[in-house]
Amino acid sequence: MTMFLRKTVQKVLILCLIFLPVAVLNAKDPIKVLILTGQNNHNWKASNVILQKYLNESGVFAADIATSPDKGGDMSSFRPDFSAYKAVVLDYNGDAWSDETNKAFLEYVKNGGGVVVYHAADNAFRNWKEYNEIIGLGGWENRDETDGPYVYYSDGKEVRDTSPGPGGSHGDKHEYKIVVRDKKHPITKGLPETWTHSKDELYDRLRGPAKNLTVLATAYSAKETRGTGRDEPMLMVIKWGKGRIFHTVLGHVGGESTHPAVEGASFIVTFLRGTEWAATGKVTQKVPDDFPRK
Ligand code: ZN
């Protein structure tokens, strides 16, 4: 090798060493996610920290938190910058947002922003039409047949039931089986067909517009635990405008010192996969070995 060639090779190597790590970092830029919280009939002070920890420790996301004023506070100051994020996680069930924030949220979803509806976020805002289209199904706040059909599974088929009755209830907390109904969706692809979810509330009798809604997984709400005797939706996806919405009813966090509903791989893995899909339309995360398989 001539001296000239040797020097050139050296230079190229040095340049590679300088720029390669930057290129690798760029390829793995974390997905920016915003958790909306601040009011809830649940323990939002615990849940938002737990959700942020899962997102940030996954190596896939960088999660910020937007905390609203307390109940009865001046909501005009609550103006999250949705456009800076690929997905918004709703951990909020409280006072109405300002008209400006509602409008910004709808614009964000319409233009392709991702949304994750987490547990009691589907209780919120009964009277906000578009919000209910985005969550697909909701409960409580006096929801009834005027809000849309009940959606559940019966004999392996989806049922949309317009019969009158209240929307939203749950029986006693317990461990229960989750059954995948759509094995091809990126969120559920590669998960076991059925697994046991950690001790949690089992939401049932949800009802809502359910437009462009696909049920990914259900759980049987047994009468023995004061349930409906129906296979109820647990994981869902909804399309609204260009936005992708992942709705998980799992993950009750209350006033107790432990929170088993969000501590198992069942919640964590489905939450992280759903958030990635809502943000990007893809799921790159592998199903971990400790995911429950029966
Ligand atoms: Zn709950």
Side-chain angles (χ1 to χ4, degrees):
M1 211 182 278
T2 65
M3 183 64 96
F4 172 76
L5 247 179
R6 198 172 296 156
K7 286 219 159 141
T8 309
V9 169
Q10 270 175 355
K11 270 185 197 161
V12 169
L13 277 174
I14 289 164
L15 283 174
C16 280
L17 285 173
I18 294 167
F19 289 106
L20 195 65
V22 176
V24 169
L25 269 181
N26 281 339
K28 290 193 176 176
D29 268 353
I31 300 165
K32 288 190 75 186
V33 174
L34 182 66
I35 301 167
L36 293 196
T37 192
Q39 292 184 34
N40 210 308
N41 61 328
H42 288 66
N43 187 355
W44 64 268
K45 284 183 182 170
S47 59
N48 81 77
V49 175
I50 294 169
L51 298 178
Q52 185 186 39
K53 180 172 173 281
Y54 292 157
L55 290 163
N56 288 345
E57 287 182 356
S58 71
V60 179
F61 308 97
D64 293 331
I65 293 170
T67 306
S68 75
D70 292 337
K71 197 164 183 57
D74 176 13
M75 291 299 282
S76 67
S77 64
F78 185 57
R79 295 166 62 181
D81 180 14
F82 299 113
S83 65
Y85 298 90
K86 297 285 278 181
V88 168
V89 176
L90 301 172
D91 179 19
Y92 185 91
N93 177 23
D95 289 352
W97 300 336
S98 68
D99 288 347
E100 197 180 20
T101 294
N102 284 4
K103 204 167 152 236
F105 178 69
L106 296 182
E107 277 299 305
Y108 165 78
V109 184
K110 195 202 257 174
N111 293 323
V115 179
V116 177
V117 182
Y118 157 64
H119 196 60
D122 68 16
N123 299 191
F125 306 143
R126 181 193 172 190
N127 298 319
W128 183 3
K129 180 173 168 279
E130 292 86 354
Y131 183 82
N132 285 276
E133 290 169 359
I134 286 168
I135 64 174
L137 292 174
W140 295 273
E141 288 199 357
N142 301 315
R143 281 175 170 84
D144 62 19
E145 60 276 13
T146 62
D147 294 276
Y150 293 117
V151 176
Y152 52 87
Y153 263 66
S154 181
D155 294 329
K157 289 204 180 96
E158 188 183 295
V159 178
R160 294 187 174 218
D161 176 351
T162 56
S163 62
S169 57
H170 62 76
D172 307 322
K173 291 190 202 82
H174 61 294
E175 289 188 353
Y176 49 84
K177 290 264 185 208
I178 293 187
V179 177
V180 172
R181 301 293 179 174
D182 184 336
K183 295 170 198 162
K184 291 184 181 151
H185 194 277
I187 296 172
T188 42
K189 201 173 175 185
L191 293 178
E193 287 181 24
T194 178
W195 72 85
T196 304
H197 177 57
S198 46
K199 189 178 177 184
D200 198 350
E201 289 170 344
L202 196 167
Y203 272 16
D204 56 33
R205 293 189 180 91
L206 296 181
R207 59 192 318 166
K211 285 186 229 159
N212 305 314
L213 174 142
T214 305
V215 176
L216 299 184
T218 60
Y220 182 67
S221 172
K223 295 221 162 133
E224 293 75 49
T225 47
R226 299 191 301 117
T228 54
R230 298 169 179 168
D231 290 303
E232 300 282 354
M234 295 290 110
L235 307 175
M236 297 163 256
V237 288
I238 301 106
K239 191 92 189 125
W240 196 87
K242 289 184 187 151
R244 283 177 297 270
I245 298 109
F246 169 65
H247 183 163
T248 176
V249 306
L250 306 177
H252 173 83
V253 172
E256 303 84 1
S257 58
T258 58
H259 309 295
V262 292
E263 280 161 10
S266 168
F267 175 81
I268 300 169
V269 170
T270 52
F271 171 70
L272 293 176
R273 293 175 71 87
T275 305
E276 187 179 2
W277 177 81
T280 68
K282 290 178 193 154
V283 178
T284 60
Q285 302 163 73
K286 296 216 163 63
V287 180
D289 293 339
D290 66 347
F291 193 82
R293 306 220 165 240
K294 52 185 177 176

